[in-house]
Amino acid sequence: MSDCKLEPITKVAAKLGLTSENVYAYGPYKAKLPLSLMRKNPKGKLILVTATSPTPLGEGKTTMAIGLADAMAKLGKSVCAALREPSMGPTFGLKGGACGGGQAKIVPEDEINLHFTGDFAAITQANNLIAACLDNHIYWGNELQIDPAKIVFKRALDLNERSLRNFNYLIKQPKSVENQQTYNVSGQFNITAASELMAIFGLASDFKDLRQRLDNILLAFNFNSEPVYLRSLKITDALLLILKDAFNPNLVQTAKHNPAIVHGGAFANIANGTNSFVSTKLACSLADYVVTEAGFGADLGLEKYFDLLAGPRQLKVDCVVLVTSLRALKYQAGLALKDTTKENLYALETGLANLKRHMQIIQNFQVPFVVCLNKFANDTETEINFLKAKLNEQGLTLAVADVFSQDSEGADDLAHKVIQKIVSEANVANAKQLFSENADLMTKLTCIAKQIYGAKDVSLSEEAEADLALIRQQGWESMSLCIAKTPSSFTDQANLLNAPTDFTLHVTSFSAYRGANFIVAHCGKVLTMPGLPKKPAACEMICSDAEINL
């Protein structure tokens, strides 16, 4: 249960110019907002928060986004945060929640971190209805001649469960079926946040687009090696019935009672990594400033934001905030976690290579940005001044923020710098695209590997070569590219920290998400169904009669 006093959601909605007739309340503190509130050409200025490479300590990206929104509201600006919904996998696994922290958070955090308004449950159920109907079609005679050995659609679960990564099951047709067959089928589960349905949910622009994307989901290949799409099962309307309420964005509040629209929850290391497009467009329709964030570092979340969302949708990002911390930079230099809180200028200077690589990524897209230091209690003025001086050498200023303990007061410097950046560079065009829309798959892959990650080369496994040949045969190369890899490194190996160079990006396989309209390149040992750590956060949770404490 939240430890701060909440305002009725209708009062929060009023800050966006909405009346009780515009919101569909889910209890006193949560609501759904209808898509009819979206404007065709919203005028809100969009601020994208990203970070340097993640560490086990956390960089505070979501916390900073919320604190920045609160600080801008304190300055009298019309502002709304637009964030992803937490997945219960990380909530019960390592993270223990994803609503910000300290004084900068969205509330009621216990409800948001768990079932919230049921969006993840709806997506999971819709996903698994597809799998059930696919198997059922084969069971009752297989009119579409689906090859059970070539089913590519995966089931989903919003929990970390390594035992469901791969499994086998039987489809034994009844005796009433002519030429009765028994098939031994291999299946897999994705975590819901990595499913194609979540990607579709996040990228669809309206219900019409949602329907079309669902129709286009690739399920399998038939015995003639021809693709079989979801529309062949004639269940699209059933899926829309499950998803119709979930597709309306959710309205909650920050601890300072400012509006936050929270919707969609794709992971950035294995999916598109942003809140839903409709929630961002809705926020930009209702507020003058919108603060959103993209998962993990700029190499993953930010790159995908521009290449999968902002570019195709002509969505302008007016300013990027690049969050880092002294302890994160020292960790990138190779210090043990316990030593990152101690002053060490040599390690800080070494870790600056990671910050510079992320800055270069943003500069590749030619968008205005502000570097923000997330200040922690153990940070010394000597180290902070050292970082300021290093950035000054490159003509940049550093915003220092402490939103965890001070919330809006701690982000005052950041808010002023962001507003100044937006005003001074108001005429900057939309982000530059790194490659043409019609570029082939390997051109896109090589471009991201070299210009974003800093790789010297790309290599494909035999399986990936076979997948690429199939993609070319089907004429799918014009689809966008979504790279799935470890978030801990620019490479596909989690232990190679800082800013490696002269490395090869290893692609193990490709998957075609026809509904989401992107190809997933799986790199290294990345997993789309995580496992739980040795001591899951679930073991630390307390449930009393009155509340749930995360």
Side-chain angles (χ1 to χ4, degrees):
M1 185 174 290
S2 177
D3 58 0
C4 62
K5 186 176 180 180
L6 279 68
E7 288 188 344
I9 198 62
T10 50
K11 190 173 180 180
V12 177
K15 296 180 179 181
L16 295 174
L18 303 176
T19 66
S20 58
E21 296 177 352
N22 301 128
V23 300
Y24 307 137
Y26 276 54
Y29 307 121
K30 300 174 294 184
K32 285 283 186 180
L33 299 178
L35 297 186
S36 58
L37 296 172
M38 286 193 306
R39 296 177 183 172
K40 185 176 181 180
N41 297 301
K43 302 300 183 183
K45 301 296 185 183
L46 186 58
I47 302 158
L48 177 62
V49 180
T50 186
T52 50
S53 298
T55 73
L57 297 166
E59 283 55 65
K61 189 167 63 267
T62 302
T63 304
M64 191 62 67
I66 297 166
L68 174 58
D70 283 340
M72 296 181 76
K74 185 185 174 188
L75 294 174
K77 303 299 181 183
S78 165
V79 63
C80 182
L83 305 170
R84 290 177 295 166
E85 299 179 51
S87 161
M88 283 200 284
T91 295
F92 291 123
L94 275 173
K95 293 183 73 173
C99 291
Q103 299 298 309
K105 59 186 177 183
I106 50 174
V107 290
E109 68 266 40
D110 53 340
E111 298 178 32
I112 298 170
N113 276 316
L114 297 176
H115 298 290
F116 199 17
T117 55
D119 294 351
F120 267 66
I123 293 167
T124 303
Q125 294 295 76
N127 186 102
N128 293 338
L129 175 62
I130 296 171
C133 288
L134 176 59
D135 286 350
N136 186 63
H137 180 88
I138 297 171
Y139 176 84
W140 288 109
N142 200 5
E143 181 183 349
L144 295 172
Q145 289 294 291
I146 295 167
D147 185 347
K150 295 180 180 178
I151 293 174
V152 297
F153 188 79
K154 298 181 181 181
R155 288 166 167 80
L157 181 71
D158 188 34
L159 289 173
N160 294 2
E161 175 55 291
R162 63 174 60 84
S163 63
L164 293 179
R165 289 172 185 162
N166 296 283
F167 62 96
N168 295 308
Y169 61 100
L170 291 177
I171 300 179
K172 185 177 181 180
Q173 294 176 331
K175 293 180 180 179
S176 59
V177 172
E178 187 177 355
N179 298 320
Q180 178 192 23
Q181 299 289 326
T182 297
Y183 298 106
N184 192 338
V185 186
S186 296
Q188 298 88 32
F189 271 79
N190 286 326
I191 191 167
T192 300
S195 66
E196 181 174 7
L197 220 61
M198 179 63 81
I200 289 171
F201 189 87
L203 294 173
S205 58
D206 52 32
F207 280 103
K208 181 180 179 181
D209 188 29
L210 179 61
R211 175 188 288 275
Q212 183 175 344
R213 287 173 180 271
L214 291 172
D215 273 342
N216 289 338
I217 292 175
L218 176 67
L219 301 179
F221 292 86
N222 64 21
F223 288 114
N224 292 323
S225 297
E226 298 166 332
V228 178
Y229 296 102
L230 184 137
R231 55 182 173 268
S232 301
L233 293 182
K234 300 185 169 92
I235 60 170
T236 306
D237 282 278
L239 299 176
L240 288 170
L241 287 171
I242 297 174
L243 296 171
K244 64 181 179 64
D245 292 330
F247 195 55
N248 290 312
N250 308 293
L251 177 68
V252 292
Q253 61 191 287
T254 70
K256 294 291 186 181
H257 314 306
N258 294 308
I261 295 177
V262 180
H263 196 231
F267 287 167
N269 59 327
I270 45 184
N272 44 305
T274 66
N275 59 303
S276 71
F277 170 74
V278 293
S279 63
T280 297
K281 187 174 180 180
L282 180 58
C284 289
S285 299
L286 299 173
D288 294 337
Y289 293 92
V290 173
V291 183
T292 189
E293 55 100 17
F296 295 115
D299 57 320
L300 287 169
L302 180 133
E303 178 271 318
K304 293 174 182 179
Y305 200 95
F306 287 127
D307 287 339
L308 299 179
L309 183 65
R313 294 291 183 203
Q314 292 297 300
L315 186 65
K316 182 181 179 182
V317 173
D318 296 277
C319 183
V320 169
V321 175
L322 175 59
V323 179
T324 192
S325 67
L326 298 179
R327 63 188 193 180
L329 296 179
K330 287 183 281 188
Y331 180 82
Q332 293 298 329
L335 290 190
L337 283 177
K338 63 181 179 63
D339 296 325
T340 57
T341 57
K342 303 171 186 176
E343 184 175 297
N344 189 324
L345 294 180
Y346 176 76
L348 181 59
E349 184 168 21
T350 302
L352 276 174
N354 186 266
L355 174 60
K356 290 177 181 178
R357 178 75 61 82
H358 286 282
M359 287 165 48
Q360 182 59 55
I361 291 170
I362 300 169
Q363 289 168 337
N364 285 343
F365 289 102
Q366 297 181 6
V367 291
F369 71 98
V370 173
V371 180
C372 174
L373 177 70
N374 189 10
K375 184 180 179 182
F376 289 89
N378 296 104
D379 294 350
T380 68
E381 289 301 316
T382 300
E383 288 182 310
I384 293 173
N385 290 332
F386 179 83
L387 182 57
K388 285 182 178 179
K390 288 295 180 180
L391 288 177
N392 285 340
E393 291 174 4
Q394 299 186 49
L396 300 171
T397 58
L398 177 70
V400 180
D402 177 7
V403 296
F404 186 90
S405 62
Q406 299 180 38
D407 191 44
S408 55
E409 289 79 6
D412 186 69
D413 178 43
L414 174 61
H416 279 97
K417 282 184 168 63
V418 168
I419 293 170
Q420 182 183 24
K421 181 67 70 171
I422 291 174
V423 171
S424 64
E425 302 197 33
N427 295 323
V428 173
N430 290 8
K432 175 188 175 183
Q433 295 304 294
L434 301 182
F435 37 76
S436 72
E437 188 177 335
N438 297 321
D440 63 66
L441 187 60
M442 285 306 297
T443 297
K444 296 171 186 173
L445 178 60
T446 303
C447 180
I448 294 173
K450 292 184 176 181
Q451 292 193 37
I452 302 297
Y453 305 155
K456 70 169 183 178
D457 201 3
V458 175
S459 71
L460 305 185
S461 69
E462 288 186 13
E463 181 180 351
E465 291 279 11
D467 292 339
L468 179 59
L470 176 63
I471 289 167
R472 287 171 171 165
Q473 177 189 345
Q474 296 294 335
W476 294 340
E477 281 204 279
S478 63
M479 294 167 63
S480 299
L481 175 64
C482 177
I483 297 181
K485 74 172 189 69
T486 176
S488 301
S489 172
F490 288 110
T491 75
D492 53 61
Q493 300 177 60
N495 63 331
L496 295 180
L497 302 180
N498 213 358
T501 57
D502 199 35
F503 66 90
T504 298
L505 184 71
H506 302 93
V507 180
T508 56
S509 64
F510 292 101
S511 299
Y513 280 12
R514 294 286 288 143
N517 195 34
F518 60 68
I519 302 291
V520 181
H522 304 272
C523 299
K525 297 179 180 180
V526 68
L527 299 169
T528 56
M529 170 54 84
L532 289 169
K534 185 175 183 180
K535 192 173 183 180
C539 298
E540 303 297 321
M541 296 182 181
I542 301 169
C543 179
S544 66
D545 291 339
E547 64 184 8
I548 297 175
N549 289 327
L550 299 187

